[in-house]
Amino acid sequence: MTTITTHILDTSLGKPAANVRVWLEKIDDEQQQKINQTLTDIDGRATDLTPHGVTAGNYRLYADIGSYFAASGRETLYKLAIIDVIIAAGQAHYHLPLLLSPYSYSTYRGS
């Protein structure tokens, strides 16, 4: 089984994005099945998205960045950041960091 984690950093402030609601869904033939939902911790990390692991397939990691920016009175262009990934068989872990600012976000496969 494979685990998936994320780390969200607010590059406009130069600090972790705490209390961001994130959730993971498995996508099969455009049908979505929610795996888990959590909030990022004080360090911007969500490490409990896949407590039982996941199998190979297509997954979407969602981050509610609209609510995150609204909580601090900042405007943003995006309501959600969506990371659509293919999880390969035989991989123990995928770390998907998310770098965000009010008008952009980016991601990559971390370690």
Side-chain angles (χ1 to χ4, degrees):
M1 295 297 246
T2 301
T3 58
I4 300 171
T5 58
T6 190
H7 186 198
I8 304 178
L9 300 170
D10 185 336
T11 60
S12 65
L13 298 178
K15 66 178 193 173
N19 296 313
V20 178
R21 184 172 65 102
V22 295
W23 64 99
L24 183 69
E25 294 181 350
K26 183 167 186 179
I27 310 300
D28 285 321
D29 298 323
E30 293 307 314
Q31 294 185 21
Q32 301 167 329
Q33 174 189 3
K34 186 180 265 186
I35 303 298
N36 202 6
Q37 176 176 298
T38 192
L39 293 174
T40 57
D41 63 18
I42 195 162
D43 291 322
R45 296 182 184 277
T47 58
D48 56 353
L49 282 168
T50 54
H52 306 292
V54 294
T55 58
N58 183 199
Y59 291 84
R60 286 190 187 132
L61 176 63
Y62 298 85
D64 183 3
I65 61 175
S67 295
Y68 166 76
F69 285 113
S72 61
R74 294 185 287 164
E75 292 184 15
T76 183
L77 180 62
Y78 302 102
K79 178 176 175 49
L80 296 173
I82 302 170
I83 304 171
D84 195 331
V85 297
I86 303 292
I87 301 300
Q91 297 290 311
H93 181 73
Y94 280 79
H95 183 60
L96 305 172
L98 178 62
L99 306 175
L100 61 93
S101 71
Y103 299 103
S104 69
Y105 69 88
S106 64
T107 187
Y108 59 95
R109 182 171 180 187
S111 55

